[in-house]
Amino acid sequence: MLVKYFLGGVLALVLTTTANADNGLIMLKSGFSVDETADRFEKVVQEKGMIIFARIDHAKRAEKVGVQLRPTQLVIFGNPKVGSPLMACSQSVAIDLPQKVVVSEDENQQVWLTYNDPQYLQTRHNIEGCDAVIEKITKALASFSQSATQL
């Protein structure tokens, strides 16, 4: 019986998550609007002690210059206690920090939450000696994203 629930949970995760190894992005389907998903994400990361540095509504800004975009918001967040040790391992990772998520609506009105796979960043920046930090970030981003996109 326990195996049945475990397999059901794994199947649900597979059906709602897409990882693209080519570009290092992890995408989760959201059951909420772009606004609500971004709000939920902000709330959960703030509850975990993260700082929200900015939230950019790309669609609203594009509209001001006459460009029509589907709803797209970028949330920039982080915690120097986590990011600084990564930069100490490989300073170039600073180009990808603070962390970001994009919440967007596709052409089928499906909302997605997308973020950089920390494993991809580890490879991209040749980060060595920070495996524990990468693992912590990987788990935290997965948890935050799941909380923001699922009931």
Side-chain angles (χ1 to χ4, degrees):
M1 186 71 133
L2 185 58
V3 172
K4 182 178 176 181
Y5 287 113
F6 174 75
L7 291 176
V10 169
L11 180 61
L13 185 61
V14 168
L15 293 175
T16 60
T17 305
T18 303
N20 188 332
D22 294 336
N23 63 11
L25 298 176
I26 295 177
M27 301 175 68
L28 281 83
K29 283 184 182 181
S30 178
F32 307 101
S33 69
V34 168
D35 283 331
E36 188 171 354
T37 302
D39 289 346
R40 289 168 59 97
F41 187 85
E42 279 191 359
K43 182 180 180 197
V44 72
V45 298
Q46 286 175 322
E47 287 172 353
K48 297 297 183 180
M50 300 283 165
I51 301 164
I52 302 295
F53 294 107
R55 181 165 165 180
I56 300 165
D57 188 328
H58 285 302
K60 281 186 182 177
R61 291 179 186 231
E63 188 176 300
K64 291 180 180 182
V65 295
V67 177
Q68 195 71 24
L69 291 180
R70 289 185 300 272
T72 305
Q73 294 187 25
L74 175 72
V75 179
I76 303 170
F77 67 99
N79 184 332
K81 290 180 183 179
V82 179
S84 298
L86 273 185
M87 288 184 271
C89 287
S90 178
Q91 198 167 7
S92 68
V93 77
I95 193 77
D96 289 311
L97 297 177
Q99 293 281 341
K100 296 169 262 319
V101 298
V102 173
V103 182
S104 59
E105 183 180 282
D106 69 17
E107 61 278 357
N108 298 313
Q109 289 77 48
Q110 174 60 58
V111 174
W112 295 90
L113 185 145
T114 306
Y115 62 92
N116 283 316
D117 182 349
Q119 304 297 322
Y120 178 82
L121 295 180
Q122 184 175 26
T123 301
R124 178 178 186 204
H125 297 285
N126 196 30
I127 298 172
E128 295 180 6
C130 277
D131 291 346
V133 176
I134 292 290
E135 185 63 26
K136 181 179 181 178
I137 294 169
T138 299
K139 288 179 180 178
L141 287 173
S143 175
F144 300 159
S145 299
Q146 193 74 18
S147 293
T149 59
Q150 307 303 310
L151 289 177

